[in-house]
Amino acid sequence: MSYLKTIAALGLLTTVSVGSAFAQDLSIYSDKTPWNAGMTGVAADASTASGQTIKLQEITPTDKYQAFMQTSIAGNNVPAFFTWWNGQQLSDVVATGIAADLTPYWDKAIADGDFTAAQRDLVSVDGKPYGVLLNVANWVVFYNTAAFEKAGIAAPPTTWAELMADADKLKAAGYTPFNAPTSGGWMPFIWFSQLVLGNDPDAFVGLTDGSVPYDGPAVKKAFEIWGDMYSKGYFTDPREQDDSKFFANGTAAMFLIGDWHSGQFADLGMKPGVDFKTFLMPSVDPAVPQSVIVEASPIVVSKAALDANPDLGKAVQAMMGADVSNILGSQSQVYNGNLKGTPPNDIIKADNDLVAAAKPRALVRWWEAVPSQIQGDLVAAMGAFMLDPTPETAAKSMSTMQAINADYWANK
Amino acid sequence: MAVDITDQNFINGLIEQERRAQRPRGRWLVVPILVLTIAYLTPFYYLFVTIFKTSAEYAQKGVLELPASLAPFADNVVQAWTIAHLGQAGLNSLSYAVIGGAIAVAFAAAAAFGMTRLNLIGANGWFMLIFTGTLFPFQMYLVPLLFGYQRLGLINSWLGMLLVYVAICIPFPLLVLRNSFSGITREVDEAARIEGASEWRVFISMIVPNAKGPLIALFLLQFTFIWNDLLFSSILANGIEVRSIMVALQSLQGTYSTIGPNVVITATLISSIPTVLLFVVLRKYFMAGLQLGNK
Amino acid sequence: MITTASASLSPEVLKDARRRERRVAWRQTRVAWLFIAPAVFMVSAFLLMPVVFNIILSFTKWQKFTGLDKFAGFANYARLFNVPYFSEALSNTAIWVVGAMVLPLAFGLGLALLLRNMPLQETFKSLFFLPKVLAPTAVGAIWYYVYAPHGVLNSAVAGLTGQPFDVGWLYSAQTVTPSVIFTFVWQTVGITMVLLLLGLAAIPRDPIEAARVDGASGWQIFRHIIWPLLLPTVLVVTILNVAAGFTTFDLLWVMAGDYPGKRTLSLAVYMYYESFSNGAWAYGSAVAVVLGAMVIAVTAALAVLQSRVEKNIR
């Protein structure tokens, strides 16, 4: 009977597909589409070093990428390489046991003088490194030099009062002071965390470990300042989904973002160091010492893939070399901190000098520090405020965030 | 109340009433219907002016303005086609929809035959078991399917997608075919059986030809459902090689900086061609399919 | 039948006949099993087993990445009440259900009554039906630009009034749900209308004409003759639309992707974000179970109502 044959054929097909699907996926997965050129170069370099074909696979936007990686890890079907975040996000992945311990590769890289032990700590969990550094960035304020000139601002601000005064001048000159997008499912946390940090760095840290509530005085103050800035018309339309548009087309004069963004502005025709420069975001409260947010993103390596295919070790080692650093720098203006590599542009060099001179307190981004299970839910509440920056929405966002936060830490 | 049938007013009233009943009513309604229809069709108008605009033209002109020329359409198609890999995705969805829809209707037909034409003990129980499959919202399948697929290696695979589409498309056709098969007279298959035909023969050459209309209508419905699916493919198979056309279309949104709405809208049009074409050509069966669902 | 026959037959013969009958039945049943096997297997393996697993999962511990973990009792269900997002998603779903139940029906019925005696009825039917053939993803992509800040709707209003007009339809809590529901209505009203026209066509003309001759008003005719006879069809349409309202996903996913509060726009969307973005599999499963329970309860109630109404008419 032919339908019996159909069932038999279907069963056979299933078995075949189960067998073949366990072949490892030798790809680098990434959500960093703006760095496409550099990442493609990394994949090519890793392929040459290991003799394997390593392809680049991109999934965007970020929240969808996270979803994809989580399902892959949960289903024990992890790609060989994937870009991730350090801090709490990395700890979560390491806790599942899928990440390869990269100690031997880091030992060699440090011995070769490519990286320092301090850089290793950026991607370490409990003292062991679990990632190759892909990007080390300072969070700075980009500013449009032509706009500053037109508004009559001689030097970038060094205090909060100066920053606000400059914002007024820019506003008077016809600019929107700050570009503040909500896009990609993550950007709303930028100003929220910056304003908490600028008043109380300890509260900024405490928000991410459950010790400081999201409806306490530190957060209330941040929302007040934020709302005040919105009422003065300091921020761009949060509905715009192209995150660089208003800065690149000259509508907005400043943009608080990681300095890896300089490559995107360069792609859009702005010359780094000429059309735009950077300064460190001053603390809101003058009594609070200068701080800077440091972002480090790792490429995580699958333990299963590395165990099954030792040649991939050569790819890992290659990713830590100066060549890959320079590919990322020249192709996508991203700097991974390699000491033998050259910082890709004047902006990143200048930022490193700024940080070296100011000796600010370096802090992990809120995004990396917050428990990943509640990360997206909290960002949603911040974004809700940006679209409707009223005291009522602020109050609602705060109580929502605190309910989620309290529930998480109570059931931890 | 007494009525004076000689009263001229009363007779005039009757005549008037009769005339009103005779007159084709609702002529004046043409106007509001036309207005409504125009508002209703505005999104389509927007679609057809947008696919002929370049990204720069779209940004400068009003969204409802006519395009400068028809030429940009070709470039929009090329962009949509290459950026979203619409060719691959279209082929994937076509194969899921044709093969999956056909297998599902075939399985449902076989099951309906077994339940209505054969003396199956507990037929109602078996029917209820399968019918249960239509009750739950898809959200209840997603997490377990994802974990199961990951464990079996069916994740991100063509076969995995086909299997889930087949399963989802069985219960409704079964419900319909059970009704239409029981409507066919018993004599048809009894006669065949007396002549020594196997049950398989009875099914293939007696029952199936008698239910051709519903079978085609059901296939069309399942084809449309699979072609239009976003949810299952986005979770179980979003790799470029296996993803459905709707996932490909959706991936175009979110690339705001590189392409304009004109490309997204063009992709929308491309991804709608097969179902619209089927609808235009086989409208009769679509409408018949509706009546099936109505029972 | 057998009891009357048994009086004249000996027990042995009877037992034998019964056994033979049962043997024939079993033989047919075995053949029938082969016919139903593929469908039963596919539905059990890919639909029913996942549902069972989903229910089990909803009672396990909330764990990122790992999925099935320790038993957690009702902890995930308790969390539904601790987290404000669930109640937001629930109330938005309620709006969806009511909107999906009432609006397509109201507009569809109006259109069906208007078009009933129209020339070109078939053309109008096809035109209004067309959006239903399009995928929700495609419809959402078009309407995303209709509602965009510089999109079709704002431009049209600005053009008609001569005033600048900028409403962020898809970017505010007050307008996003009604806007997407309107798109849903745009897509659904055609099929609703066609189904109602089928129902109307089945209503005999004589009583309507008779009532008209008796001087009944249009409303009276509708209320007392058309509506009761149309009710079964109305209920079928309602069941379809209510189920769609409960599980609405594609349109919201495509149209409200930029709205920061998108995760609470419906329970289906909320479930998706909790499970697939936050990695809270077990909690997401609990949301799915609640959604499933509501869908089944409401659909069952409507189905019972529908069968009662149908029985009354016959």
Side-chain angles (χ1 to χ4, degrees):
Chain A
M1 281 180 169
S2 73
Y3 58 92
L4 276 182
K5 278 185 216 148
T6 318
I7 299 170
L10 212 66
L12 197 70
L13 268 171
T14 315
T15 342
V16 170
S17 81
V18 168
S20 63
F22 278 120
Q24 262 295 334
D25 184 1
L26 290 188
S27 293
I28 305 178
Y29 276 73
S30 168
D31 66 329
K32 318 225 176 304
T33 34
W35 308 351
N36 178 293
M39 294 297 299
T40 309
V42 173
D45 212 83
S47 300
T48 319
S50 63
Q52 310 274 342
T53 314
I54 298 171
K55 283 185 295 185
L56 175 68
Q57 303 275 4
E58 287 175 327
I59 296 173
T60 180
T62 301
D63 46 8
K64 215 169 155 194
Y65 175 71
Q66 289 175 302
F68 175 81
M69 284 310 307
Q70 276 155 24
T71 52
S72 304
I73 293 171
N76 211 5
N77 190 5
V78 190
F81 304 93
F82 58 97
T83 66
W84 204 243
W85 298 269
N86 67 349
Q88 189 65 42
Q89 316 302 317
L90 186 61
S91 309
D92 282 344
V93 168
V94 170
T96 66
I98 60 99
D101 174 2
L102 302 180
T103 304
Y105 306 99
W106 269 95
D107 286 349
K108 183 163 188 311
I110 293 173
D112 291 350
D114 283 313
F115 287 97
T116 65
Q119 286 173 319
R120 188 175 86 158
D121 291 345
L122 287 172
V123 291
S124 292
V125 175
D126 297 331
K128 283 186 190 154
Y130 288 96
V132 174
L133 272 178
L134 167 66
N135 161 46
V136 181
N138 296 301
W139 274 60
V140 293
V141 183
F142 287 85
Y143 68 95
N144 183 322
T145 49
F148 269 46
E149 203 172 305
K150 199 174 158 207
I153 304 167
T158 55
T159 65
W160 185 257
E162 279 176 37
L163 180 69
M164 292 297 107
D166 291 347
D168 286 333
K169 284 183 203 163
L170 287 161
K171 189 89 191 133
Y175 293 95
T176 305
F178 300 102
N179 183 33
T182 55
S183 45
W186 62 274
M187 288 192 167
F189 85 84
I190 295 174
W191 274 92
F192 168 80
S193 68
Q194 184 63 47
L195 292 171
V196 175
L197 173 63
N199 277 305
D200 187 350
D202 295 327
F204 171 83
V205 175
L207 282 178
T208 56
D209 62 18
S211 63
V212 171
Y214 279 81
D215 55 358
V219 175
K220 273 195 183 122
K221 191 160 184 200
F223 268 106
E224 270 165 34
I225 300 170
W226 204 5
D228 184 49
M229 290 170 76
Y230 262 110
S231 65
K232 287 178 181 158
Y234 282 0
F235 294 111
T236 50
D237 186 346
R239 297 174 306 185
E240 176 55 51
Q241 295 303 311
D242 179 353
D243 56 10
S244 302
K245 181 177 166 186
F246 289 135
F247 186 71
N249 72 9
T251 306
M254 292 182 268
F255 189 7
L256 169 62
I257 195 88
D259 61 9
W260 44 263
H261 227 80
S262 52
Q264 260 161 281
F265 302 143
D267 286 347
L268 292 166
M270 296 179 92
K271 211 161 175 292
V274 180
D275 293 333
F276 65 93
K277 292 182 182 173
T278 58
F279 61 87
L280 292 183
M281 177 61 95
S283 295
V284 180
D285 182 344
V288 171
Q290 176 75 53
S291 55
V292 66
I293 290 173
V294 178
E295 174 190 357
S297 14
I299 297 177
V300 179
V301 186
S302 151
K303 187 173 183 300
L306 195 57
D307 289 349
N309 195 342
D311 280 349
L312 290 184
K314 293 177 194 154
V316 175
Q317 202 69 60
M319 286 184 193
M320 301 186 76
D323 280 354
V324 160
S325 177
N326 288 334
I327 289 170
L328 281 169
S330 59
Q331 300 294 315
S332 295
Q333 315 264 318
V334 170
Y335 184 48
N336 75 353
N338 190 305
L339 302 174
K340 289 183 183 165
T342 22
N345 64 44
D346 296 343
I347 290 292
I348 289 171
K349 235 179 284 174
D351 290 346
N352 290 338
D353 295 345
L354 277 174
V355 170
K359 294 201 177 52
R361 175 176 173 185
L363 290 155
V364 175
R365 277 203 304 179
W366 177 87
W367 179 261
E368 277 84 3
V370 75
S372 49
Q373 289 93 324
I374 55 174
Q375 184 193 51
D377 287 353
L378 296 176
V379 172
M382 300 167 193
F385 174 76
M386 290 174 74
L387 281 164
D388 183 28
T390 59
E392 296 76 52
T393 309
K396 190 170 170 244
S397 285
M398 281 188 271
S399 79
T400 301
M401 288 196 290
Q402 180 51 22
I404 292 164
N405 187 52
D407 178 76
Y408 173 79
W409 291 104
N411 293 302
K412 179 91 172 99
Chain B
M1 196 172 92
V3 169
D4 178 7
I5 51 161
T6 56
D7 180 355
Q8 193 53 43
N9 283 336
F10 177 74
I11 291 170
N12 285 348
L14 267 185
I15 292 169
E16 176 59 25
Q17 250 182 33
E18 186 59 21
R19 203 181 290 152
R20 209 183 297 143
Q22 294 289 320
R23 200 189 305 152
R25 289 178 308 277
R27 273 272 157 77
W28 60 274
L29 287 171
V30 170
V31 180
I33 287 186
L34 274 179
V35 170
L36 214 63
T37 308
I38 289 168
Y40 194 78
L41 293 178
T42 307
F44 291 112
Y45 168 80
Y46 167 72
L47 186 144
F48 282 108
V49 293
T50 304
I51 57 174
F52 296 111
K53 288 177 180 169
T54 65
S55 294
E57 195 181 355
Y58 186 91
Q60 286 155 10
K61 270 192 183 159
V63 283
L64 291 173
E65 272 179 60
L66 289 172
S69 88
L70 301 182
F73 179 62
D75 188 50
N76 288 340
V77 170
V78 170
Q79 275 205 58
W81 195 265
T82 48
I83 294 173
H85 304 274
L86 283 186
Q88 175 73 56
L91 220 57
N92 294 341
S93 278
L94 201 65
S95 61
Y96 296 143
V98 171
I99 302 174
I103 294 181
V105 174
F107 281 6
F113 177 79
M115 284 172 192
T116 57
R117 314 302 291 189
L118 298 173
N119 224 333
L120 172 62
I121 294 173
N124 273 329
W126 288 114
F127 170 70
M128 285 316 290
L129 181 81
I130 295 181
F131 181 68
T132 316
T134 59
L135 296 179
F136 303 103
F138 293 161
Q139 279 69 25
M140 289 188 82
Y141 305 141
L142 297 178
V143 174
L145 274 181
L146 178 81
F147 281 102
Y149 269 35
Q150 293 268 26
R151 230 141 267 185
L152 291 172
L154 284 171
I155 199 79
N156 249 328
S157 73
W158 184 87
L159 183 71
M161 285 315 295
L162 187 76
L163 288 173
V164 77
Y165 285 138
V166 167
I168 286 199
C169 291
I170 287 176
F172 178 73
L174 175 66
L175 173 72
V176 173
L177 290 174
R178 203 175 77 124
N179 282 341
S180 49
F181 283 4
S182 19
I184 303 169
T185 60
R186 279 266 161 191
E187 286 142 25
V188 172
D189 37 343
E190 291 307 333
R193 272 193 200 105
I194 287 163
E195 282 170 27
S198 70
E199 298 300 347
W200 179 249
R201 272 246 72 80
V202 174
F203 172 56
I204 286 296
S205 46
M206 297 291 146
I207 301 300
V208 168
N210 260 308
K212 222 190 235 160
L215 285 171
I216 294 175
L218 286 167
F219 171 75
L220 284 179
L221 285 181
Q222 306 315 318
F223 177 95
T224 310
F225 168 79
I226 298 174
W227 180 269
N228 288 351
D229 172 66
L230 171 72
L231 185 60
F232 286 102
S233 178
S234 77
I235 287 169
L236 300 177
N238 57 16
I240 283 178
E241 299 80 13
V242 288
R243 67 183 179 180
S244 76
I245 186 130
M246 291 306 149
V247 174
L249 172 61
Q250 213 266 322
S251 77
L252 270 184
Q253 282 204 317
T255 46
Y256 306 94
S257 43
T258 37
I259 55 163
N262 49 321
V263 179
V264 180
I265 295 292
T266 309
T268 303
L269 178 73
I270 297 173
S271 66
S272 305
I273 288 174
T275 45
V276 173
L277 218 60
L278 276 183
F279 172 64
V280 170
V281 177
L282 300 169
R283 209 175 60 91
K284 191 180 81 184
Y285 287 106
F286 262 96
M287 297 292 175
L290 285 179
Q291 269 159 304
L292 294 176
N294 207 359
K295 260 180 200 157
Chain C
M1 244 162 75
I2 291 171
T3 37
T4 50
S6 65
S8 58
L9 288 170
S10 70
E12 286 77 29
V13 175
L14 191 68
K15 216 185 273 173
D16 204 48
R18 271 203 205 131
R19 214 178 288 136
R20 202 174 324 125
E21 200 172 90
R22 221 176 302 148
R23 213 180 304 129
V24 170
W26 269 111
R27 201 187 308 131
Q28 284 236 327
T29 294
R30 272 199 297 274
V31 178
W33 277 348
L34 291 173
F35 276 93
I36 66 168
V40 169
F41 170 77
M42 291 303 290
V43 169
S44 312
F46 291 90
L47 305 183
L48 302 182
M49 260 170 52
V51 166
V52 172
F53 187 75
N54 187 296
I55 295 170
I56 296 172
L57 190 61
S58 74
F59 289 102
T60 61
K61 198 167 182 311
W62 172 29
Q63 274 291 338
K64 190 169 183 150
F65 296 122
T66 47
L68 247 185
D69 209 295
K70 276 169 263 158
F71 186 68
F74 284 89
N76 292 312
Y77 292 94
R79 186 163 190 261
L80 296 173
F81 300 99
N82 293 339
V83 176
Y85 282 172
F86 175 74
S87 50
E88 266 178 50
L90 188 64
S91 62
N92 277 329
T93 302
I95 297 173
W96 262 95
V97 170
V98 174
M101 186 162 83
V102 175
L103 297 178
L105 189 63
F107 286 114
L109 190 58
L111 273 173
L113 291 172
L114 285 181
L115 282 180
R116 198 157 47 121
N117 301 313
M118 275 285 148
L120 296 177
Q121 198 204 63
E122 286 302 307
T123 315
F124 279 112
K125 251 162 80 174
S126 299
L127 270 182
F128 280 92
F129 190 81
L130 190 58
K132 190 64 201 171
V133 183
L134 302 178
T137 315
V139 169
I142 299 171
W143 280 81
Y144 172 86
Y145 296 108
V146 170
Y147 287 127
H150 303 289
V152 175
L153 184 55
N154 284 348
S155 307
V157 175
L160 289 176
T161 60
Q163 307 281 332
F165 191 76
D166 180 6
V167 172
W169 297 102
L170 300 175
Y171 296 91
S172 115
Q174 285 80 42
T175 53
V176 62
T177 298
S179 301
V180 184
I181 288 180
F182 187 82
T183 304
F184 173 82
V185 174
W186 180 81
Q187 197 183 8
T188 321
V189 73
I191 186 172
T192 307
M193 176 195 77
V194 172
L195 286 173
L196 291 171
L197 275 172
L198 290 173
L200 284 173
I203 296 175
R205 294 218 97 141
D206 295 352
I208 299 177
E209 289 305 322
R212 214 185 292 281
V213 169
D214 287 348
S217 71
W219 166 249
Q220 283 172 322
I221 292 173
F222 174 77
R223 174 70 190 80
H224 296 288
I225 301 174
I226 298 180
W227 179 254
L229 289 172
L230 198 58
L231 203 53
T233 313
V234 167
L235 283 169
V236 168
V237 169
T238 305
I239 291 174
L240 292 177
N241 288 343
V242 162
F246 264 116
T247 55
T248 175
F249 179 84
D250 294 12
L251 277 181
L252 289 169
W253 180 245
V254 176
M255 291 174 70
D258 304 336
Y259 174 59
K262 59 191 168 186
R263 58 191 66 219
T264 61
L265 287 177
S266 82
L267 282 176
V269 176
Y270 182 56
M271 180 270 163
Y272 182 94
Y273 273 99
E274 285 298 335
S275 297
F276 301 106
S277 187
N278 292 357
W281 313 112
Y283 177 60
S285 302
V287 175
V289 169
V290 171
L291 179 63
M294 289 193 306
V295 173
I296 290 173
V298 173
T299 331
L302 284 171
V304 167
L305 189 65
Q306 203 259 354
S307 69
R308 283 224 185 119
V309 167
E310 202 140 299
K311 221 174 269 167
N312 277 349
I313 283 175
R314 275 180 193 153

